[in-house]
Amino acid sequence: MDINTDSTPYEISSSDLMVLEGHTSEVFTCAWSPEGSLLASASGDSTARIWTIGDGPCNSTIQRRTPNVLVLKPLESRATKEHKDVTTLDWNSEGTLLATGSYEGKVRIWNRYGELVRNLNNHCCPILSLKWNKIGDYLLSGSVDRTAVVWNVQSGKPKQQFEFPSVVLDADWQNNDSFAVGSIDNMIYICKVGENRPVKRFSGHKNEVNAVKWDPSGSLLASCSDDTTVKETYTIKWSSTGAGTSNPNQQLLLASASFDSTVNLWDVEQGRLLHTLNGHREPIYSIAFSPNGQYLASGSVDKCMNIWSVKEAKIVKTYNGDGIIFEVCWNKEGNKVAACFSNNKVCVFDIRL
C-alpha cells in the first residue's frame, strides 16, 4: 500500500475514487463477491444492485465509463416501495448466488446475472441477518419475528425453523450445520440443524446482543452489546489471520467499533487490549480487515472513512464524504474498498498495493 511516512494521512483523491449512482434512497449495506469483480448493494429504495467493477484503477479510461449494473427488483415490489427496504445481503462462497432480505420479511436468492432464482417465504417481519453456510446448501435468516430459519437452498423450503424468546439481531455459522444467534433478550444461543432446542445458551450481557461472530477456525465466538461491556459496541470483526485462514502464521485479532467513536484492537489469546484507534468524531457503524490482515477500514456517522495500519495503529488513508457511512468492505485482492452512504451512493476506492 502507498502509505504516508509523515504523521498526516493521505487524503484519498478523486482520481482514486469511483462513485456508483442509481439508488434513490440510502444504501444500507454492500458486499464484494468472493469471485472479486462484482459488488452488491442494498438500499431503502426496495432494490439491490450488482455492479461490475473492473480490475484496473478507478481513474482508468475503462473504469470512468458507467459501470455495468444489474437492478434486482422483484415484480411484486414494483407497484409500491412502502416497507420494501432491502435490509441485508450475502454472497455464497462461490460468488454464484446472492441472497437478499427485506423489511417486509422476504428472502430472495438471485444468480450473479441478476435473475431471481428463489422466493423464500416464511418470515412475517423484517430480516436483520442473512448468512450462507460455507458449502452453500443452507441459508440462515434471522428476523424481528423472533425466529431463525435454515433454508434448504436446493428445494427453496425451510429445513428447520428455530423460535426464540425475543428478536434475532444477528446470526453466524460456526460450521455447516451449527450457528450462533444474538438476541434482544441479552442472550446468545448455539443451535444445530436437527436439534429442536439450542444446544448451548450464553448469558452475561446486560443488554441486547448486537452482533455475534465466529473466528475463522470456528473455535471462538465473539459478541458485542449495548451494555457498555465494550462501550456500547455496535459491531465486531475478526482478522483474516491465524488458524483457518490464508495467513496462519499471523496473530489473530478482534476489532470492535463503539458508539464512542473509537475502534479497539484485541489480542484474543492474551485477552488484552492492544490499541485504541482514535480518528472518528461520531459513532462507527462498520469495520473491515483487509484480506492480509495488515489494514483495517472504518466508516462512521461523521461521514469519514479511515484506513488504519494495524501494526502502527494509525490512519494511513482517509476520505471525507457527504453522507453517513453504513458499511465498508474490501475486495478479495485487498486493493479496493467499497463504502455505502446515506446519500444514496456507493463509492469504490483504490487502496494501492
Side-chain angles (χ1 to χ4, degrees):
M1 177 183 287
D2 290 340
I3 63 174
N4 196 356
T5 56
D6 302 327
S7 59
T8 305
Y10 278 136
E11 183 83 27
I12 296 175
S13 70
S14 58
S15 63
D16 293 329
L17 165 66
M18 182 193 307
V19 180
L20 307 178
E21 297 181 300
H23 283 296
T24 57
S25 184
E26 56 193 351
V27 186
F28 299 121
T29 186
C30 56
W32 292 94
S33 164
E35 172 270 337
S37 65
L38 301 179
L39 176 68
S41 58
S43 169
D45 64 7
S46 80
T47 74
R49 294 172 188 244
I50 298 177
W51 311 83
T52 300
I53 310 297
D55 295 331
C58 290
N59 62 357
S60 68
T61 302
I62 294 176
Q63 296 282 34
R64 284 298 181 186
R65 302 172 188 166
T66 302
N68 292 328
V69 60
L70 302 169
V71 180
L72 314 184
K73 187 176 179 69
L75 290 173
E76 66 267 24
S77 294
R78 294 178 183 175
T80 175
K81 294 182 180 179
E82 186 178 4
H83 304 311
K84 306 290 187 180
D85 302 16
V86 182
T87 52
T88 184
L89 51 75
D90 193 41
W91 290 96
N92 69 350
S93 61
E94 296 179 348
T96 56
L97 296 173
L98 177 71
T100 62
S102 72
Y103 190 88
E104 61 184 325
K106 304 291 186 182
V107 177
R108 298 178 175 94
I109 299 176
W110 314 77
N111 64 23
R112 65 195 307 273
Y113 306 108
E115 299 165 337
L116 183 62
V117 177
R118 297 283 185 199
N119 262 313
L120 309 181
N121 299 312
N122 204 70
H123 292 291
C124 61
C125 295
I127 308 297
L128 300 183
S129 179
L130 202 56
K131 300 284 175 58
W132 293 87
N133 68 350
K134 188 172 183 179
I135 62 175
D137 58 342
Y138 292 151
L139 178 66
L140 173 64
S141 57
S143 171
V144 175
D145 65 12
R146 304 184 180 189
T147 71
V149 175
V150 175
W151 301 89
N152 182 313
V153 175
Q154 185 173 7
S155 69
K157 304 294 183 182
K159 172 71 175 178
Q160 191 171 352
Q161 178 171 304
F162 297 81
E163 297 183 358
F164 301 95
S166 193
V167 172
V168 175
L169 292 179
D170 196 23
D172 195 35
W173 290 98
Q174 178 185 21
N175 49 44
N176 285 312
D177 58 7
S178 296
F179 60 92
V181 163
S183 175
I184 276 185
D185 66 0
N186 315 343
M187 295 289 293
I188 298 168
Y189 302 91
I190 310 299
C191 302
K192 185 175 182 178
V193 176
E195 299 288 341
N196 293 326
R197 296 182 179 181
V199 295
K200 290 182 182 178
R201 293 175 171 86
F202 295 115
S203 60
H205 285 297
K206 307 302 181 186
N207 209 325
E208 60 192 49
V209 180
N210 292 325
V212 288
K213 296 287 184 294
W214 290 98
D215 80 321
S217 69
S219 59
L220 299 173
L221 178 67
S223 62
C224 65
S225 170
D226 288 343
D227 59 10
T228 71
T229 49
V230 197
K231 300 180 182 178
E232 296 188 45
T233 305
Y234 184 77
T235 188
I236 47 179
K237 287 291 173 64
W238 292 98
S239 62
S240 50
T241 53
T245 75
S246 58
N247 308 296
N249 297 322
Q250 296 184 42
Q251 181 184 24
L252 175 66
L253 299 177
L254 178 71
S256 60
S258 303
F259 273 16
D260 68 354
S261 74
T262 66
V263 177
N264 287 326
L265 295 178
W266 304 87
D267 178 341
V268 179
E269 290 185 2
Q270 299 294 326
R272 65 187 179 94
L273 178 64
L274 290 176
H275 303 292
T276 295
L277 308 181
N278 291 286
H280 288 288
R281 303 177 304 278
E282 298 288 346
I284 299 166
Y285 276 152
S286 181
I287 49 178
F289 280 98
S290 62
N292 63 11
Q294 296 179 18
Y295 300 96
L296 181 81
S298 59
S300 168
V301 176
D302 65 10
K303 306 177 183 179
C304 181
M305 183 191 74
N306 291 328
I307 305 294
W308 306 80
S309 165
V310 172
K311 182 179 180 180
E312 299 178 0
K314 73 175 185 180
I315 300 171
V316 294
K317 283 181 179 282
T318 188
Y319 173 79
N320 288 289
D322 51 5
I324 293 170
I325 299 176
F326 290 120
E327 183 101 59
V328 293
C329 57
W330 295 79
N331 67 347
K332 70 170 186 176
E333 292 84 7
N335 59 10
K336 286 183 171 64
V337 172
C340 54
F341 291 79
S342 62
N343 65 351
N344 313 346
K345 296 178 181 178
V346 181
C347 291
V348 177
F349 305 91
D350 277 334
I351 309 297
R352 296 184 188 139
L353 294 170

